[in-house]
């Protein structure tokens, strides 16, 4: 379903004439693709293990769920997704810096840091 939506969105973008709005939409589409691929990479091992263990009846016994490598991999998706959005969007990065980190960080010259953060990407 997601792949079908991505194909349709890409087709629609190709039909639009070149413009700043089209470039913005294209950038948004590419970050969504990266987020979906990251999600699949991080969750596929857990799903594959669940299917294989269901079919074979064999399970890996891990006493502590916090040290289960498959669960840690899947849970790391919660860190990767916001990081990817921050990496891909300079305006979001600047807004997060101004509203959150600049109030927490007691750095001098925070205006210079905002400019530096805005130029990253």
């Amino acid at each position: 379903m997601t792949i079908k939506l991505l194909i349709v969105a890409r087709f629609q973008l190709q039909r639009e004439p070149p413009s700043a709005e089209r470039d913005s939409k294209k950038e948004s589409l590419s970050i969504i693709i990266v987020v979906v691929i990251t999600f699949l990479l991080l969750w596929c091992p857990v799903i594959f293990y669940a299917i294989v263990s269901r079919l074979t009846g064999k399970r890996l016994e891990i006493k502590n769920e916090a040290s289960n490598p498959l669960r840690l991999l899947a849970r790391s998706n919660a860190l990767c997704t916001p990081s990817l959005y921050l990496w891909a969007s300079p305006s979001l990065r600047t807004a997060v810096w101004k509203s959150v980190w600049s109030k927490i960080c007691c750095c001098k010259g925070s205006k210079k840091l905002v400019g530096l953060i805005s130029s990253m990407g």
Side-chain angles (χ1 to χ4, degrees):
M1 178 76 167
T2 303
I3 294 171
K4 185 177 178 180
L5 288 172
L6 291 173
I7 291 170
V8 169
R10 190 162 186 91
F11 177 73
Q12 291 295 329
L13 277 175
Q14 289 174 349
R15 291 178 52 188
E16 287 186 21
S19 67
E21 184 179 349
R22 178 181 175 216
D23 293 342
S24 176
K25 288 179 183 178
K26 191 174 180 180
E27 185 177 311
S28 296
L29 182 62
S30 61
I31 190 60
I32 290 170
I33 291 170
V34 169
V35 168
V36 168
I37 289 171
T38 303
F39 174 84
L40 290 173
L41 288 174
L42 294 174
W43 275 95
C44 275
V46 175
I47 294 168
F48 182 73
Y49 170 74
I51 291 169
V52 169
S53 65
R54 198 56 94 150
L55 293 174
T56 62
K58 296 180 181 178
R59 298 191 184 280
L60 182 64
E61 294 296 325
I62 297 178
K63 294 180 183 180
N64 185 358
E65 281 293 313
S67 63
N68 183 343
L70 291 175
R71 300 286 181 188
L72 289 173
L73 189 62
R75 289 179 185 143
S76 67
N77 183 64
L79 294 172
C80 290
T81 301
S83 302
L84 287 171
Y85 282 114
L86 284 171
W87 169 73
S89 174
S91 58
L92 178 62
R93 214 174 17 246
T94 302
V96 168
W97 174 260
K98 286 181 180 177
S99 63
V100 178
W101 294 112
S102 65
K103 294 177 182 169
I104 295 171
C105 181
C106 55
C107 303
K108 292 183 179 180
S110 62
K111 290 182 182 179
K112 291 179 185 176
L113 286 174
V114 170
L116 178 67
I117 289 171
S118 297
S119 66
M120 291 172 52

